[in-house]
């Protein structure tokens, strides 16, 4: 593993003398025991594995705290322009192992634990997975924080410290059951509480417009209090903060009811408010119009914008220089209230004229769109906004008026166009279109993969693209190789170190392309095949241990892991599984390629079709896995409670990566990148980043199938009728009827009738045959291991582009105009 220079020397500029921690095994061991006794107050002989983990996390935190504090010193000293990444979700995953890898401390801690008679890998399994996100958007934010720190970009992540993250998924009788996620129960050694870092956040009340600026008299106020998480760079001396807000009553409460001497009800109201930041909304593709969600979004942006201004005024004595010093990035529309919030503060607190405040906002804000699905686009009713945020609604009206009168009308557009681009959607219930506000206020708007960004300007934002052609751009997603190779697949990391002459690839992923000259080398193909096999054995052991299902690690591991959603078409995967099952039963002695179908993913708790799909997968799994006739030619496993940590276990073990969404629906996908970087081959549609993966790995090293976006739209336009496909494909019809008539649910024959006979919005039946043909190609190639592992090596060799480091370099250059901390600016290590 890479020899980065652990920072033994002091780089924190302070006059105070202190004992700084050293990264050698003996001192680490002593530090862990010290933490156990003096921080946790536990007698080592009584310590549980979770206690040892906590102690070790405190010890590891010590070793990155100097970087954390000195990074702030550097940013202050050189007045470094900073990007503030606002997101309602950060799916960070476990912190411990990642921090050891990033700071080259793994060896020292492994040795320290050995000397304590413990095993680091087992201890690190104790860490709760901070699931402060739903899926792609939240994990992307986490990968971006790792790259921002590693590239030494001055950056701060702002999020919410939900007490309850993404629900725990249990499968009972094949059904998803949601359980609260008590991730904080074992304490959170990796965060610093910042009780002094608090900002008041107001809600409701009235707006007195007899004044200018109008006076907002809020009805309620709550305190946002900060917790800081260290985001250590890979190698080097930088560590950026992730600041997470939690809600505290503090001394603010409902004065009115207090004066009526009704202390308890005033506290009661406050208590209610304190729950604002308690629970993450588990929806990832359907906007939830609930007031609490709007309160959460405003809570995040108000605390963050106030903190950003406070940080700015630490460096500059004027608010006017804010645009030079600050870039605020909106991770989808969820934090878009930051725009009227900054306008409110600039106008109401700093008395800037509207135009000036607006011009500053346009320089400061940029926005990323992560989905074109209409049901995922946030619209808040004007009534709810008026009730909860009267001043912000007033400002949104002014922004809309300014936009229409100064931008749209002068260009001679008609009223219909104006009605289309107005932030306010007219109708019996007027709504605020948050995506419109984001586009109008941002100097740059990007999609997350080429095809998605093109579709964005040709559909959802077509009118705005006509108004602001230069505003729209693309930054294709990426993933961090630190977590998704070095942490998740250490054997592969060592394989790459060996054949790429060291671990430069970890911070320059394009170095992977040196593998291209080795892809025909049989020994290297075998060596990689062994790396893959070891990961498959590790996963098989987990499935045996946790689910008591035996799978054959020599079978082809066919994997689809992602949120359950109709557009991601897990149910089309099921159609292939049942079709294959039928084929084997019809032809048991044929030379079938044994397959294990592995699926995992959570369904939003109110999304019944997705929950039905999970149940169907489990019903089919139970049926097929107990059917002796197919022996272990097919096994189906739905692994419960998909998470970042489970992804780290499954992805290295995959042979085939299922990326089968209907073309035009998956904005990018990021698991597709993680799989290919771990040497899995992709079977996928021309959707999202699959298109760019095809361009980088070559058509002969990927299995592309299905209709293109244009063909999909043609089918829709011509009135797509699923029975045109079912009635002309007897094998498909057989599968549909089997499932719909209860072949896999004899106790409730019509359980899946609706799931099979709905309007097939995402055209499973239209793509079925092409999908099955592609799966046959997969079997054919897998039966030729040299060709298969050559293709796997070619995939890895050409995936360097999909590093989140490249994505962040694009953002810094194209959107945020930010320079990283230079070598010269780094403190000389004493
Ligand atoms: C308001 C409810 C809600 C919550 C989250 C609506 C939409 C979302 C996210 C935008 C959904 C999401 O995670 N989108 C995924 O973002 C990834 C990162 O860019 C992409 O790779 C995926 O294609 C996209 O589905």
């Amino acid at each position: 593993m890479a020899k980065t220079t652990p920072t033994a020397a002091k780089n924190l500029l302070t006059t105070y003398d202190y004992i700084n921690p050293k990264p050698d095994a003996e001192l680490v061991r002593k530090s862990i025991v010290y933490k156990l006794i003096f921080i946790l107050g536990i007698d080592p002989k009584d310590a549980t594995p979770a206690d040892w983990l906590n102690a070790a996390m405190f010890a590891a935190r010590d070793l990155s705290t100097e970087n954390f504090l000195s990074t702030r010193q550097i940013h202050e000293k050189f007045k470094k322009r900073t990007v503030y990444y606002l997101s309602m979700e950060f799916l960070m995953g476990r912190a411990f192992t990642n921090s050891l890898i990033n700071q080259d401390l793994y060896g020292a801690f492994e040795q320290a634990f050995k000397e304590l008679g413990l095993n680091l890998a087992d201890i690190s399994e104790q860490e709760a997975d901070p699931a402060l996100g739903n899926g792609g958007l939240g994990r992307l934010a986490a990968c971006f924080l790792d790259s921002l720190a590693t590239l030494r970009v001055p950056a701060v992540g702002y999020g919410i410290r939900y007490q309850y993250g993404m629900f725990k998924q249990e499968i009972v009788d094949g059904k998803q059951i949601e359980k609260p996620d008590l991730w904080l129960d074992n304490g959170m050694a990796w965060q610093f509480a910042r009780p002094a870092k608090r900002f008041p956040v107001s809600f409701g009340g009235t707006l007195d417009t007899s004044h200018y600026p109008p006076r907002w008299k809020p009805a309620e106020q709550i305190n946002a209090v900060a917790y800081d998480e260290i985001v250590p760079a890979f190698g080097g001396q930088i560590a950026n903060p992730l600041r997470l807000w939690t809600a505290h009553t503090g001394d603010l409460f409902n004065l009115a009811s207090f004066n009526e001497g009704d202390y308890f009800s005033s506290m009661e109201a406050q208590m209610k408010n304190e729950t604002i930041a308690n629970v993450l909304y588990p929806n990832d593709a359907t906007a939830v119009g609930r007031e609490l969600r709007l309160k959460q979004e405003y809570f995040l942006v108000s605390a963050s914008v106030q903190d950003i201004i406070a940080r700015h005024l630490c460096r500059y004595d004027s608010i006017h220089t804010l645009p030079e010093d600050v870039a605020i990035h909106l991770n989808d529309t969820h934090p878009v209230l930051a725009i009227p919030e900054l306008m409110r503060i600039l106008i109401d607190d700093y008395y800037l004229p509207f135009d000036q405040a607006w011009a500053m906002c346009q320089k400061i804000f940029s926005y990323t769109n992560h989905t074109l699905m209409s049901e995922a686009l946030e619209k808040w009713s004007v009534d709810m906004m008026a009730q909860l945020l009267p001043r912000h609604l007033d400002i949104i009206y002014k922004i809309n008026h300014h936009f229409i009168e100064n931008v749209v009308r002068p260009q001679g557009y008609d009223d219909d166009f104006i009605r289309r681009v107005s932030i306010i959607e007219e109708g019996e219930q007027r709504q605020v279109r948050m995506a419109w506000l984001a586009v109008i206020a941002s100097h740059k708007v990007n999609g997350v993969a080429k095809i998605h960004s093109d579709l964005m300007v040709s559909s959802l934002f077509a009118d705005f693209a006509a108004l602001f052609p230069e505003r729209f751009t693309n930054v294709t997603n990426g993933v961090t190789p630190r977590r998704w190779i070095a942490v998740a697949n250490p054997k592969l990391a060592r394989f790459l170190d060996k054949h790429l002459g060291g671990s430069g690839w970890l911070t320059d992923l394009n170095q992977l392309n040196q593998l291209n000259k080795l892809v025909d080398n049989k020994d290297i193909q075998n060596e990689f095949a062994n790396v893959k096999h070891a990961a498959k054995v590790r996963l098989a052991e987990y499935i045996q241990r946790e689910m008591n299902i035996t799978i054959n690690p020599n079978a082809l591991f066919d994997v689809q892991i992602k949120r359950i959603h109709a557009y991601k078409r897990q149910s089309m995967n099921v159609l292939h599984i049942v079709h294959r099952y039928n084929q084997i039963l019809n032809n048991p002695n044929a030379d079938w390629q044994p397959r294990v179908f592995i699926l995992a993913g959570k369904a939003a708790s109110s999304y019944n079709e997705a929950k039905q799909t999970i149940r169907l997968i489990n019903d089919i799994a139970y049926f097929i896995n107990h059917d002796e006739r197919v022996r272990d030619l097919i096994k189906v496993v739905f692994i419960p409670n998909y998470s970042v940590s489970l992804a780290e276990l499954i992805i290295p073990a995959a042979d085939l990566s299922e990326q089968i969404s209907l073309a035009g629906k998956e904005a990018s996908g990021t698991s597709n990148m993680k799989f290919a970087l771990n040497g899995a081959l992709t079977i996928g549609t021309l959707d999202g980043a699959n298109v760019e993966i095809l361009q980088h790995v070559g058509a002969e090293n990927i299995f592309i199938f299905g209709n293109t976006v244009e063909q999909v739209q043609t089918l829709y336009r011509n009135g797509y009728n699923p029975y045109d496909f079912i009635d002309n494909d007897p094998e498909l019809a057989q599968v549909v009827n089997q499932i719909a008539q209860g072949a896999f649910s004899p106790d409730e024959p019509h359980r899946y009738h609706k799931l099979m006979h709905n309007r097939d919005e995402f055209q499973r039946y239209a793509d079925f045959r092409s999908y099955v043909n592609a799966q046959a190609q997969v079997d054919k190639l897998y039966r030729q291991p040299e060709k298969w592992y050559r293709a796997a090596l070619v995939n890895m060799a050409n995936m360097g582009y999909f590093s989140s480091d490249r994505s962040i370099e694009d953002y810094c250059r194209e959107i945020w105009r930010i320079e990283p901390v230079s070598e010269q600016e780094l403190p000389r290590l004493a």
Side-chain angles (χ1 to χ4, degrees), residues 330-399:
L330 306 174
N331 197 19
D332 215 282
T333 59
H334 314 152
V336 83
L337 283 169
I339 296 161
E341 174 68 357
L342 181 54
M343 287 293 285
R344 177 184 73 83
I345 294 171
L346 294 176
I347 295 169
D348 298 2
D349 299 353
Y350 292 89
Y351 303 103
L352 270 62
F354 178 92
D355 291 11
Q356 205 179 340
W358 181 239
M360 289 170 72
C361 281
Q362 290 200 296
K363 286 201 192 94
I364 288 170
F365 287 106
S366 51
Y367 151 62
T368 296
N369 172 280
H370 295 268
T371 180
L372 300 177
M373 307 279 282
S374 51
E375 65 265 31
L377 300 174
E378 293 188 298
K379 296 176 183 169
W380 293 104
S381 73
V382 164
D383 301 346
M384 187 186 286
M385 195 72 89
Q387 193 263 329
L388 201 67
L389 298 166
R391 178 58 177 134
H392 297 78
L393 181 62
D394 180 55
I395 290 170
I396 290 170
Y397 282 150
K398 289 191 170 60
I399 290 171

Side-chain angles (χ1 to χ4, degrees), residues 428-614:
E428 98 275 352
Q429 198 193 35
R430 300 174 72 226
Q431 308 229 62
V432 179
R433 295 188 272 211
M434 303 311 263
W436 274 214
L437 175 57
V439 170
I440 291 165
S442 297
H443 64 268
K444 275 277 186 262
V445 175
N446 75 286
V448 290
K450 192 80 184 66
I451 188 173
H452 166 65
S453 299
D454 294 346
L455 280 171
M456 206 175 66
V457 293
S458 63
S459 63
L460 181 63
F461 297 142
D463 291 334
F464 292 101
L467 286 167
F468 313 116
E470 80 303 327
R471 186 166 295 187
F472 293 89
T473 185
N474 173 59
V475 178
T476 297
N477 282 166
V479 298
T480 170
R482 275 72 70 179
R483 183 173 292 270
W484 297 109
I485 300 180
V487 172
N489 200 346
K491 286 191 171 58
L492 176 61
R494 276 197 287 284
F495 168 88
L496 296 171
D497 286 351
K498 178 178 167 196
H499 296 297
L500 301 176
S503 63
W505 56 273
L506 261 173
T507 47
D508 172 14
L509 205 55
N510 288 323
Q511 290 186 20
L512 288 179
N513 59 33
Q514 292 168 46
L515 272 179
N516 276 315
K517 59 182 184 291
L518 305 171
V519 294
D520 293 305
N521 178 315
K522 299 283 175 286
D523 299 340
I524 292 190
Q525 288 173 0
N526 290 335
E527 198 182 331
F528 171 71
N530 295 337
V531 168
K532 179 60 74 178
H533 188 73
K536 293 168 76 174
V537 169
R538 180 178 68 164
L539 179 57
E541 284 164 357
Y542 174 87
I543 291 173
Q544 185 67 58
R545 193 175 57 245
E546 301 294 325
M547 305 176 71
N548 194 22
I549 297 176
T550 308
I551 61 172
N552 165 9
N554 301 315
L556 187 157
F557 281 17
D558 177 329
V559 180
Q560 186 176 25
I561 49 176
K562 52 189 71 234
R563 287 296 297 256
I564 311 296
H565 201 291
Y567 85 79
K568 295 173 186 282
R569 303 202 291 189
Q570 281 89 357
S571 60
M572 186 171 77
N573 186 337
V574 166
L575 295 177
H576 168 245
I577 293 171
V578 174
H579 172 67
R580 192 181 186 86
Y581 173 62
N582 292 341
Q583 301 292 87
I584 293 173
L585 291 178
N586 298 348
N587 200 345
N589 306 322
D591 175 21
W592 290 103
Q593 165 55 49
R595 280 215 193 180
V596 178
F597 293 91
I598 295 167
L599 296 97
K602 293 172 180 175
S605 38
S606 55
Y607 189 177
N608 293 329
E609 182 181 344
K611 294 174 95 166
Q612 269 295 77
T613 303
I614 292 175

Side-chain angles (χ1 to χ4, degrees), residues 49 114 134 203 207 223 229 305 310 327 408 435 465 485 495 530 652 659 679 690 735 753 760 778 822:
K114 203 179 279 129
N134 276 279
F203 299 105
L207 190 61
N223 269 330
E229 177 152 336
V305 169
V408 184
I485 300 180
F495 168 88
N530 295 337
Q659 308 295 336
N690 297 355
V735 170
H753 189 274
D760 190 30
V778 170
S822 67

